Amino acid sequence: MHLAYPAVLSALLFCTGLYGVLARRNAILVLMSVELMLNAVNLNLVAFDVWLSRAAEETLHSGQALTLFTIAIAAAEIGIGLAIVLAVYRNRGTSDIDKLRDTAESHETDGPDDALTAGKTEKAEATA
């Protein structure tokens, strides 16, 4: 088998995942797109490992070992990512990324400067 087939498939998977990360608004779909990109990298690692092991006749298979580590890290990443998304959904009621950008909670005053100017105007009115 030629190296071009898995490399082209990996490039298509990676581009699909990249489009999903850039275009999607739902946080769960963004996490799925990141997983798709990681799987494209895993496919490349295994394909190049097989290709290099045939060329150099090595039996180390470091690309496959690195793929196993990547799968373990991806499993941890998706677990933590889903936990964060669920916690945010419980607090905010949405998983839309555009609506989650403003993380500051609204207060009665707009900021600390407004509280200072309000205090100064009250003092000025009391002295007048």
Side-chain angles (χ1 to χ4, degrees):
M1 183 169 77
H2 295 285
L3 183 62
Y5 298 132
V8 168
L9 178 63
S10 176
L12 289 174
L13 284 174
F14 192 85
C15 289
T16 304
L18 186 64
Y19 172 75
V21 167
L22 296 176
R24 298 292 174 200
R25 295 176 190 232
N26 191 351
I28 294 175
L29 292 177
V30 170
L31 285 174
M32 289 174 59
S33 298
V34 169
E35 289 295 319
L36 192 62
M37 292 168 62
L38 285 172
N39 286 330
V41 170
N42 287 339
L43 179 62
N44 253 347
L45 283 171
V46 171
F48 277 99
D49 180 49
V50 169
W51 181 68
L52 288 174
S53 67
R54 285 185 185 168
E57 296 187 15
E58 293 180 7
T59 57
L60 186 60
H61 296 295
S62 58
Q64 293 179 16
L66 189 58
T67 298
L68 287 175
F69 284 116
T70 307
I71 290 171
I73 290 172
E77 174 258 335
I78 198 69
I80 292 171
L82 280 175
I84 291 171
V85 168
L86 285 175
V88 167
Y89 181 76
R90 284 182 185 167
N91 288 335
R92 300 285 176 116
T94 184
S95 63
D96 189 6
I97 294 175
D98 290 336
K99 293 180 182 176
L100 298 176
R101 290 184 189 221
D102 185 27
T103 58
E105 295 181 14
S106 60
H107 298 287
E108 291 179 15
T109 59
D110 292 332
D113 294 335
D114 292 337
L116 291 175
T117 56
K120 288 179 182 177
T121 55
E122 288 174 3
K123 288 180 183 177
E125 289 174 0
T127 57

